Amino acid sequence: YSYNDVPAGQTDPTLARFSIEPDRTETIPILQRAFEINPRLTLMATPWSAPAWMKTSGSMITGTLRAEAYAPFAEYFRKFIEAYASEGIPVHLVSVQNEPHYEPSDYPGMRLDPPARARFIGQHLGPLFARSGIATQILDWDHNWDQPDSPLEVLGDSVARRYIAG
């Protein structure tokens, strides 16, 4: 699931249907308990896929982020961070995509090449966090360490680099 699932063929660019409700049964209570035990924990959140309607494949499996979905996907991050904060769960770090160079064919994933990540971070996610006063740090590369040129390419973008913590 995503936090903004809609029927096939529909979109929700204003994220009117956004909800963390699926996490209320297990994930949120477990994280709340973990923070009770150790309030100094650091929480990192990483999506495996954007919602299906935001992707070129129209599915959470395969595909990449559609150009018109960059702003809604950034807003998706903001809404997630604020919703978790309202539950007493601080999100300290986010990466924009789990394994952005891997596009699995049988489970959710999304390919995001370096120019796409730089554009998303530099033109959408970073500025939105700054405008919204969100202190959550942005990580670019959440992947294996055998492709060091990929994050270096993103960091080579002078605009994106201003918003990347690692």
Side-chain angles (χ1 to χ4, degrees), residues 126-162:
L128 178 61
F129 279 16
R131 284 192 312 272
S132 302
I134 292 175
T136 301
Q137 294 183 321
I138 301 168
L139 303 177
D140 167 57
W141 188 241
D142 184 1
H143 203 97
N144 300 326
W145 293 101
D146 61 343
Q147 299 175 35
D149 290 343
S150 183
L152 291 175
E153 185 176 340
V154 177
L155 290 170
D157 182 292
S158 64
V159 176
R161 180 176 54 237
R162 293 192 310 235

Side-chain angles (χ1 to χ4, degrees), residues 62-86:
T62 70
T64 191
L65 196 60
R66 299 168 62 88
E68 63 271 17
Y70 280 56
F73 194 43
E75 184 67 20
Y76 181 90
F77 274 88
R78 184 195 65 77
K79 288 175 89 64
F80 166 76
I81 290 165
E82 290 179 351
Y84 264 60
S86 74

